[in-house]
Amino acid sequence: MPVLTENYDVCVVGAGHAGCEAALACARLGLDTIIFTINIESIAMMPCNPNIGGSSKGHLVREIDALGGEMGVNIDHTFIQSKMLNRSKGPAVHSLRAQADKGDYSMRMRRVLQSTDHLTLRQAEVSELIIENQEIKGVKTVSGAEYYCKAVVLCTGTYLNARCLYGDVVNHTGPNGLQAANHLTDSLIRNGVEMYRFKTGTPARIDGRSVDFSKMEEQFGDDRIVPFSFMTDPESVQIDQVSCWLTYTNEKTHEIIRDNLDRSPLFSGMIEGTGPRYCPSIEDKVVKFADKNRHQVFIEPEGIHTNEMYIGGMSSSLPEDVQYAMYRTVPGLEHVKIVRNAYAIEYDCINPRQLSPSLEFKSVRGLFSGGQFNGSSGYEEAAAQGLIAGLNAAMQILGKEPVILDRSESYIGVLIDDLVTKENHEPYRMMTSRAEYRLLLRQDNADIRLTKKGYEAGLISRERYEHVEEKIRQIEAEISRVEKVHLGATKEVQELLASCGSQTLNSGISLCELIRRPELNYDLLAPVDHERPALSDEVREQVNINIKYDGYIKRQMKQVRQFKKLEKKKLPSDFDYTQISGLRIEAQQKLNLYQPVSIGQASRISGVSPADISVLLVYLESRAHA
């Protein structure tokens, strides 16, 4: 019986945040790409929270943008409120977060995909991988159609064998009631892929007309909005913003939850998958933090074309009647009407240690993967992996070296290294604390760190690359100038210092030393810096940070140089570590399992001790002189 057969360079499976970035990267590099989705309406859907960015996640979005991805541009066009988080802390943890209009976000991304050359959208469920001699050849759909290609990128999100649960209700669907993908897991298992079963959850959506906002604290966006994309004109995003609202649970809420824990599938044993530790359900919070008499609840609009609102901080899998009861104990929600129930969702994903740092499966050439399928959580983590997986699929087809970001140059590098190197038994979430060089990996300098890599890969235009190079030149020139500026104890200087609450001078001082005072900065000292050139906001920001944190930055750069030395010491591939007698048995087993690419990666594997690393270094030295 004849079947449909087509040929492409790349097949991308799934059109969530990971799939969109993967497909766009491949198509923009000139490769004929097809992206499969179970439902065209679900492209770049936001099934959980209605925002992009947040602590550490904002860093990822900025890095995606610096490499030539789409997420930052998309949210700049579709946000309804924007806020820079952690402004009271140091610049290493400043992170943008924007509330999105969910419908607009998805629709705009769909338009971008549909207008991109070399990219085909296809509504179909992929059911099988075509693999010959451990090399990908294509995919099959449930209809029997065969799509042959040179690389496949799997970005299946939370759809594989998905089921949604609340109380004793079990729906065998993907998120938002969409069809699950019930066939691909079997094909993966037949091809030797190790699968995990994870779970996540989402709160109820409520009718905003049933909320009493007078009992809540209004949460405003920033007065001056900072865009996510380095290519977005800051003036274009200064819009009227929609408010969010803050309220709290109370002891009555907690009592209702505790009284009904036996009806929660999370506690009754119905849920098999492992949930995210850092995004717990309200049931988890009440049980694990029993000493807390209240928890924050954020009421966030889902868009400007809908009354639906998201109850941030109260995800749940409790029964419908309990959801109504507990939500109605929260101030402002006494008469709330639920539009969509809260639910937990279980799904199949992979053990990511089967991947190399390029996000290619070690056992199947040409098979890449990204997003929640890799055992992570979050839209931003997904998009970052999708971009790298798609980019490396393209690099392989084009005969180029893979793009591999390490921990010292990006949050994306930390994310991927943690996934492929460390044991992850729950959905992985990015946090600033995971990045040991976070003072260097700030969200404000992502373009300086990564635009060159995006340009070399082919996703960044020469014009944009040269713009960043000029920005770097201006920063370096201004820092050099400021280091030479010496200020005397003049009346003008003393009055400015006094007005800023800063100690006045007994003698002359360098401008750099004044900038480093906690209460002062580069812009505050402008009135006494008479030779100061006119510079853009972003250049002035970099000058201030680099001067103010100079000592700390130099210290981290020294640590990075040590890190790089270990990363450059490459280990043999497909090596049997039992041949090295000085290694402990546990280390031999872990090294054989992970097959690290470098001494640096080996040092981050649980079960490999510093003594084992010394043995490996001696072994490499002996090989070099053999």
Side-chain angles (χ1 to χ4, degrees), residues 198-367:
F198 278 176
K199 130 313 138 182
T200 187
T202 189
R205 308 305 191 277
I206 58 176
D207 188 333
R209 297 171 301 175
S210 64
V211 177
D212 183 353
F213 296 108
S214 68
K215 297 182 178 179
M216 301 179 180
E217 300 169 28
E218 191 167 4
Q219 307 288 298
F220 300 99
D222 287 343
D223 291 334
R224 176 71 182 176
I225 298 166
V226 178
F228 270 102
S229 175
F230 293 99
M231 296 302 291
T232 299
D233 176 4
E235 297 307 318
S236 71
V237 295
Q238 307 308 317
I239 64 170
D240 292 333
Q241 300 177 69
V242 175
S243 290
C244 297
W245 305 84
L246 173 64
T247 183
Y248 297 89
T249 63
N250 51 58
E251 279 300 335
K252 181 63 176 176
T253 320
H254 302 173
E255 181 185 341
I256 289 171
I257 292 168
R258 284 191 291 265
D259 288 347
N260 287 279
L261 285 176
D262 60 322
R263 300 179 64 197
S264 167
L266 189 65
F267 289 88
S268 68
M270 281 180 65
I271 289 179
E272 304 163 4
T274 306
R277 184 187 321 180
Y278 301 105
C279 189
S281 67
I282 190 63
E283 300 97 289
D284 262 337
K285 289 181 187 178
V286 169
V287 170
K288 293 179 179 177
F289 306 103
D291 57 317
K292 301 286 185 183
N293 57 18
R294 69 176 191 172
H295 295 282
Q296 287 185 325
V297 180
F298 289 95
I299 307 301
E300 302 170 335
E302 298 248 300
I304 58 175
H305 308 295
T306 177
N307 287 327
E308 279 188 78
M309 304 195 83
Y310 177 88
I311 311 183
M314 286 192 76
S315 66
S316 178
S317 59
L318 285 163
E320 187 174 45
D321 61 305
V322 181
Q323 289 187 33
Y324 261 106
M326 72 173 183
Y327 286 136
R328 286 180 170 174
T329 63
V330 175
L333 301 182
E334 292 88 350
H335 304 289
V336 74
K337 294 182 179 179
I338 293 176
V339 178
R340 310 186 200 207
N341 286 328
Y343 62 86
I345 181 169
E346 284 189 316
Y347 55 94
D348 293 341
C349 58
I350 64 164
N351 179 344
R353 71 164 177 243
Q354 298 165 98
L355 305 173
S356 70
S358 68
L359 296 182
E360 182 182 21
F361 277 82
K362 296 174 183 176
S363 60
V364 183
R365 178 173 171 78
L367 181 61

Side-chain angles (χ1 to χ4, degrees), residues 441-626:
L441 308 182
R442 305 183 310 276
Q443 54 93 32
D444 58 78
N445 69 358
D447 59 334
I448 294 171
R449 292 185 279 115
L450 297 174
T451 300
K452 184 177 180 180
K453 287 185 179 290
Y455 172 67
E456 290 172 344
L459 290 179
I460 295 290
S461 69
R462 172 172 284 277
E463 179 185 14
R464 180 174 178 182
Y465 171 62
E466 289 177 348
H467 173 78
V468 174
E469 289 294 291
E470 173 59 20
K471 175 180 173 180
I472 293 170
R473 188 199 66 75
Q474 290 181 16
I475 294 165
E476 291 174 347
E478 180 62 359
I479 291 173
S480 178
R481 185 194 70 81
V482 169
E483 287 173 343
K484 299 181 181 70
V485 174
H486 195 80
L487 299 174
T490 65
K491 180 182 178 183
E492 180 187 33
V493 171
Q494 302 287 48
E495 287 179 350
L496 177 65
L497 294 178
S499 70
C500 294
S502 190
Q503 184 178 351
T504 55
L505 304 179
N506 295 321
S507 60
I509 192 172
S510 74
L511 184 55
C512 272
E513 288 181 72
L514 284 181
I515 290 172
R516 291 189 184 110
R517 290 187 179 183
E519 68 277 7
L520 300 176
N521 61 46
Y522 175 78
D523 281 342
L524 281 176
L525 292 165
V528 295
D529 182 8
H530 301 301
E531 302 299 320
R532 172 176 157 134
L535 297 169
S536 66
D537 292 350
E538 56 184 15
V539 169
R540 298 201 313 275
E541 179 183 34
Q542 292 305 307
V543 170
N544 183 65
I545 291 172
N546 278 280
I547 291 174
K548 191 173 278 289
Y549 297 93
D550 178 60
Y552 300 103
I553 289 172
K554 284 178 178 174
R555 187 185 308 166
Q556 285 215 335
M557 289 178 72
K558 183 179 179 181
Q559 294 169 347
V560 167
R561 286 192 289 273
Q562 291 298 113
F563 165 83
K564 292 279 191 184
K565 286 182 182 178
L566 295 180
E567 295 301 302
K568 288 178 180 176
K569 294 184 183 296
K570 299 300 180 184
L571 291 167
S573 58
D574 298 322
F575 184 70
D576 181 5
Y577 285 91
T578 60
Q579 295 180 27
I580 305 178
S581 57
L583 290 173
R584 295 175 308 111
I585 292 175
E586 182 185 10
Q588 290 175 345
Q589 292 172 343
K590 289 293 181 71
L591 291 166
N592 278 335
L593 182 65
Y594 282 91
Q595 290 294 317
V597 297
S598 67
I599 290 288
Q601 188 183 10
S603 70
R604 296 187 292 276
I605 296 173
S606 174
V608 178
S609 70
D612 296 318
I613 296 300
S614 297
V615 172
L616 287 176
L617 288 168
V618 171
Y619 172 77
L620 286 183
E621 191 71 20
S622 66
R623 268 178 52 125
H625 292 94

